[in-house]
Amino acid sequence: MEFSTLTSDFYGFENGLADNEKELLVKLRHWLETEVKPIVNDHWARAEFPMMLVKGLADLGIFGMPWEETRPFENTAVFRGWVALELARVDASVATLVGMQNGLVMGAIGVAGSTEQRAEWLPKFATGEWLGCFALTEPLSGSDSAQGLRTVAERDGDDWVISGSKRWIGNGTIASHSIVWAKSSEDGQVKGFLVPTSTPGWSASKIENKQALRIVQNADITLDKVRVPEANRLQNGNSFRDTAAVLRLTRAEVAWAAVGNSIGAYEAAVKYGSERIQFGKTIDGHQLIQEHYAKMLGNITSSIALCTRVSAMLDEGIQRDEHAALAKEFTTSRMRETVAWARESMGGNGIVLDYDVMRHFADAEALYSYEGTREMNTLIVGRAITGKAAFV
C-alpha cells in the first residue's frame, strides 16, 4: 500500500509528514475502510460501540502515541492530528474514543502522573488491556468546572473517599478505569484519581436518546463513598491548572477531528454527486452543486492549515490556551457549515443514514460542543486579544 494524500487535502499538507508517519496512516486508512466503515452505520443506528475495534486500534499503535513509554516511534503533534482526522473521516465516534483513551485518560497520567505511575499505567491503556474514561463534567458543572466542581475527595488515612456525580462521561459504561477529578476537602484544590470502575460505590448508567455520536457510550456516573488508595492519586496533579493542561493537549486534536468529520461528509457528497442523475446528467455537472463543493473544500483547506500550525506550535513548546481555543472554535464552526452543504447537495437522500452524510451531520453537533463550547473558546481568545476576562 502506497501513501497518497487525500483528494480533500487540496494543498497537500500531508506530504510534510515523516515517512514512518505516512506508513502508519496508510495502515490506519486500510483498517478503517475494511473494519470500521462496513459496520459503523449499523452500530450508530443501534447506539452501540463495537468493542472489537479497541484491539485493532491498540494493535496499530494508535493509543499512547504522545508518550515515551508507549509510542510506537517518535512522532509529532501534527501527525497525531492527522490520525484524529483520518479516524473522524470515517467515524467521529471512533475518533472520540481514541481521543478519550489516548488524550484525556493517558494525557492525565502523562501530564499529572508520577514517573512510577506513568511506567505502570500507560502501557496498560496503550495495549487496550485497560479502557478509560475521563470523569470531569458534572450535572451542574460543565463550562465552569474550574470553580463549580462539586465532587469531593476526603483523606482518610492512606485512602481517599470520593463522593459526587458526573455527567456526559464518554466510555462511562464500558470503561475498566476512570480518571476522576474531585476537590480535596483538605485544601479545596482539584485532584485527579485513577479509579477502577469495579470499585464499590461506583455506578454508571447510559444516557439514552442521544442523537449525536451515538456510538459513544456517554454515562451518568455516581460515586458513593468510593475508596481509593493514595497511590492512585495523580501525584503531580495539584490544582485545576493541571487539569487544564490536559485539556489544552486534546483540544487541538478535537479541532483536527472536526476537519475529519467535514471531510467524511464532503467525500460522501462528492461521490453521490458523481452518481446521481438529474436533468439528464450527473448532479456534479451543475453549477450550484459545484459551488457547494468549492465552499466545502475551502472550509476544509483553511481548517487544515490552521490545525497544522497550532499543532506545530505544540511541538515547538509555544502553544497557549488561546491558540488551541481558536483552532477548536474555528474548525467546528466551519464543520457545521460544511456538513450542512454536503447534506443539502444530496437533497432528500442526504437525510438517509445509508449515504453517511447524515451521520456526519448529526455528529457535528457533539464535536461543536464538547472540549469547550464555541462560546467559551471565543472568550478565551477574546481575553487574549483584550486582556480582559469576560467569563460571567
Side-chain angles (χ1 to χ4, degrees):
M1 294 180 290
E2 289 188 13
F3 174 82
S4 61
T5 60
L6 298 172
T7 56
S8 48
D9 179 16
F10 202 57
Y11 287 179
F13 283 96
E14 283 178 294
N15 286 322
L17 296 174
D19 288 343
N20 56 356
E21 293 175 337
K22 292 177 181 176
E23 183 180 345
L24 182 51
L25 275 190
V26 170
K27 292 178 182 177
L28 176 60
R29 278 184 200 166
H30 177 73
W31 181 80
L32 288 167
E33 290 292 329
T34 58
E35 302 296 327
V36 179
K37 197 167 186 177
I39 66 171
V40 70
N41 281 336
D42 180 55
H43 282 78
W44 195 93
R46 291 187 284 115
E48 295 178 359
F49 186 82
M51 291 298 295
M52 77 287 288
L53 298 184
V54 173
K55 184 179 186 304
L57 289 163
D59 289 346
L60 283 167
I62 299 302
F63 297 143
M65 287 191 296
W67 313 110
E68 184 178 352
E69 294 88 344
T70 53
R71 62 192 180 201
F73 50 79
E74 192 168 345
N75 59 82
T76 63
V78 175
F79 166 69
R80 296 192 295 274
W82 276 104
V83 169
L85 182 152
E86 291 282 0
L87 290 164
R89 183 173 73 91
V90 173
D91 184 62
S93 292
V94 175
T96 299
L97 177 130
V98 172
M100 287 184 287
Q101 178 88 340
N102 199 26
L104 292 174
V105 175
M106 297 181 74
I109 297 166
V111 168
S114 66
T115 301
E116 293 77 16
Q117 288 172 332
R118 287 173 56 132
E120 180 183 356
W121 296 341
L122 287 176
K124 293 181 179 179
F125 285 109
T127 62
E129 177 185 349
W130 288 0
L131 184 65
C133 65
F134 186 86
L136 174 63
T137 306
E138 298 182 352
L140 300 177
S141 175
S143 296
D144 69 342
S145 292
Q147 298 177 342
L149 213 64
R150 292 167 173 79
T151 299
V152 175
E154 297 185 12
R155 188 69 182 263
D156 183 17
D158 293 332
D159 292 341
W160 292 82
V161 180
I162 307 174
S163 295
S165 300
K166 301 291 182 180
R167 182 164 173 80
W168 291 114
I169 309 307
N171 289 356
T173 58
I174 59 176
S176 62
H177 292 74
S178 177
I179 300 293
V180 175
W181 300 94
K183 276 191 178 178
S184 166
S185 60
E186 290 183 332
D187 59 11
Q189 295 296 326
V190 174
K191 302 184 188 302
F193 302 85
L194 179 74
V195 181
T197 59
S198 58
T199 306
W202 169 283
S203 62
S205 59
K206 180 181 174 180
I207 296 175
E208 300 288 352
N209 301 318
K210 183 163 59 80
Q211 299 304 308
L213 294 181
R214 287 174 54 80
I215 292 174
V216 176
Q217 303 300 292
N218 291 91
D220 287 310
I221 306 294
T222 300
L223 300 108
D224 183 11
K225 298 180 180 178
V226 171
R227 183 175 290 269
V228 295
E230 163 65 11
N232 279 35
R233 181 179 66 82
L234 296 174
Q235 296 298 301
N236 294 322
N238 299 309
S239 73
F240 191 81
R241 285 190 297 272
D242 300 308
T243 315
V246 179
L247 298 174
R248 188 183 312 120
L249 288 175
T250 58
R251 188 161 287 151
E253 287 195 16
V254 177
W256 280 100
V259 185
N261 194 57
S262 296
I263 290 174
Y266 166 78
E267 290 179 343
V270 170
K271 178 178 184 296
Y272 179 85
S274 69
E275 300 167 350
R276 173 71 168 172
I277 297 175
Q278 293 286 280
F279 300 104
K281 61 181 179 180
T282 56
I283 63 171
D284 63 0
H286 292 279
Q287 291 180 358
L288 290 175
I289 298 300
Q290 290 189 5
E291 181 193 18
H292 282 321
Y293 293 167
K295 290 189 296 185
M296 286 189 277
L297 187 59
N299 277 351
I300 289 165
T301 303
S302 60
S303 294
I304 290 174
L306 189 151
C307 285
T308 298
R309 180 55 192 152
V310 80
S311 290
M313 294 173 79
L314 182 61
D315 287 324
E316 295 164 16
I318 60 174
Q319 187 197 99
R320 298 193 301 272
D321 285 344
E322 56 265 32
H323 298 136
L326 181 62
K328 205 276 181 173
E329 184 279 327
F330 181 85
T331 60
T332 54
S333 295
R334 300 293 78 72
M335 169 189 63
R336 252 186 162 188
E337 295 174 348
T338 301
V339 298
W341 287 328
R343 195 224 58 79
E344 184 178 335
S345 73
M346 295 173 66
N349 284 335
I351 67 171
V352 181
L353 193 58
D354 299 10
Y355 294 93
D356 292 332
V357 165
M358 194 62 208
R359 173 166 49 83
H360 291 291
F361 183 96
D363 288 348
E365 290 303 293
L367 291 169
Y368 184 72
S369 295
Y370 78 54
E371 290 268 4
T373 62
R374 186 197 65 83
E375 291 78 7
M376 291 304 294
N377 281 312
T378 58
L379 290 177
I380 294 170
V381 177
R383 181 178 59 190
I385 295 168
T386 66
K388 299 172 184 177
F391 296 85
V392 291

